[in-house]
């Protein structure tokens, strides 16, 4: 709805304002979160780039999370970006169209940012979060697709072997074995 988007054009919160809201929320021991929790969990951390790589991804590899919101603040605490994903978000609306939840961001050398991440799910909650370079994401994706190819290749070989046996044996007994 266009009117709702226009209303959302208010000034973005600063990191201090966001942290003030988050700090008012009830605290939970992180060890007790891994499991079923029908609530929103907030995670904050800072990153500083000490390498010459400038493009990174936050990878969240747990497909059951319903909503993941990432808010990025620059080193001055000014809001820089917001990205949303999760199993309840249509695939075409994800920041990166992948089976894992990937959130791209840029970080210049010696630059620092603060990430505020919100997780929301009515089911199990786990937090397998990684910060990866673009090269590492491509490497993981190639490995994942290679394993998918091997898996489906083996399935195809089994299917072809089964068809071959059914043609060569021509027996009703073999068909009863299949079905």
């Amino acid at each position: 709805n266009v009117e709702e988007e226009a209303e959302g054009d208010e000034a973005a919160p600063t990191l201090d304002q966001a942290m003030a809201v988050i700090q008012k929320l009830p605290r939970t021991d992180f060890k007790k979160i891994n499991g079923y929790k029908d609530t929103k969990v907030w995670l904050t951390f800072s990153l500083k780039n000490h390498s010459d790589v400038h493009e990174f991804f936050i990878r969240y590899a747990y497909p059951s999370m319903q909503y993941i919101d990432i808010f990025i603040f620059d080193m001055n605490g000014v809001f820089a970006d917001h990205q949303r994903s999760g199993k309840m978000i249509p695939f075409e609306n994800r920041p990166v169209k992948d089976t894992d939840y990937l959130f791209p961001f840029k970080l210049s050398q010696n630059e620092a940012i603060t990430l505020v991440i919100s997780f929301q799910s009515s089911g199990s909650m786990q937090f397998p979060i990684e910060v990866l370079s673009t090269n590492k994401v491509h490497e993981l994706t190639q490995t994942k697709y290679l394993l998918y190819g091997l898996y489906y290749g083996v399935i195809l070989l089994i299917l072809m072997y089964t068809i071959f046996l059914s043609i060569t044996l021509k027996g009703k007994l073999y068909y009863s074995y299949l079905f």
Side-chain angles (χ1 to χ4, degrees), residues 56-76:
F56 296 92
F57 288 88
I58 295 172
R59 177 177 175 242
Y60 181 77
Y62 185 66
S64 295
M65 190 61 65
Q66 292 176 336
Y67 297 101
I68 307 157
D69 286 291
I70 294 186
F71 302 90
I72 300 174
F73 295 88
D74 68 13
M75 64 177 107
N76 298 321

Side-chain angles (χ1 to χ4, degrees), residues 90-138:
F91 191 78
E92 60 272 1
N93 293 347
R94 290 184 183 179
V96 176
K97 288 152 187 65
D98 191 82
T99 53
D100 293 332
Y101 303 121
L102 293 171
F103 303 92
F105 66 96
K106 293 184 181 190
L107 190 59
S108 301
Q109 191 170 16
N110 294 320
E111 182 183 7
I113 60 171
T114 300
L115 297 156
V116 179
I117 305 175
S118 164
F119 301 94
Q120 184 176 3
S121 183
S122 58
S124 175
M125 284 194 167
Q126 296 179 15
F127 304 96
I129 299 172
E130 297 178 281
V131 178
L132 303 169
S133 68
T134 303
N135 290 340
K136 187 65 176 175
V137 169
H138 291 306

Side-chain angles (χ1 to χ4, degrees), residues 6-160:
E7 289 176 11
D9 286 342
E10 300 171 10
T14 64
L15 178 60
D16 292 336
Q17 291 169 333
M19 292 304 292
V21 170
I22 292 171
Q23 288 176 355
K24 290 179 184 175
L25 299 172
R27 300 260 178 207
T28 304
D29 184 7
F30 193 74
K31 293 176 185 172
K32 295 178 183 176
I33 294 174
N34 284 335
Y36 290 93
K37 189 101 173 145
D38 190 14
T39 187
K40 211 179 239 196
V41 176
W42 292 87
L43 176 68
T44 62
F45 58 94
S46 297
L47 296 174
K48 185 171 184 178
N49 185 6
H50 296 285
S51 70
D52 56 353
V53 178
H54 301 291
E55 294 181 0
F56 296 92
F57 288 88
I58 295 172
R59 177 177 175 242
Y60 181 77
Y62 185 66
S64 295
M65 190 61 65
Q66 292 176 336
Y67 297 101
I68 307 157
D69 286 291
I70 294 186
F71 302 90
I72 300 174
F73 295 88
D74 68 13
M75 64 177 107
N76 298 321
V78 177
F79 175 79
D81 192 18
H82 170 248
Q83 298 178 39
R84 185 169 220 209
S85 194
K87 76 176 186 179
M88 302 304 281
I89 305 298
F91 191 78
E92 60 272 1
N93 293 347
R94 290 184 183 179
V96 176
K97 288 152 187 65
D98 191 82
T99 53
D100 293 332
Y101 303 121
L102 293 171
F103 303 92
F105 66 96
K106 293 184 181 190
L107 190 59
S108 301
Q109 191 170 16
N110 294 320
E111 182 183 7
I113 60 171
T114 300
L115 297 156
V116 179
I117 305 175
S118 164
F119 301 94
Q120 184 176 3
S121 183
S122 58
S124 175
M125 284 194 167
Q126 296 179 15
F127 304 96
I129 299 172
E130 297 178 281
V131 178
L132 303 169
S133 68
T134 303
N135 290 340
K136 187 65 176 175
V137 169
H138 291 306
E139 184 181 307
L140 289 172
T141 302
Q142 286 176 344
T143 303
K144 179 171 53 173
Y145 287 137
L146 175 66
L147 292 174
Y148 285 160
L150 288 173
Y151 174 78
Y152 288 114
V154 168
I155 297 295
L156 184 62
L157 283 173
I158 292 171
L159 179 65
M160 290 172 56

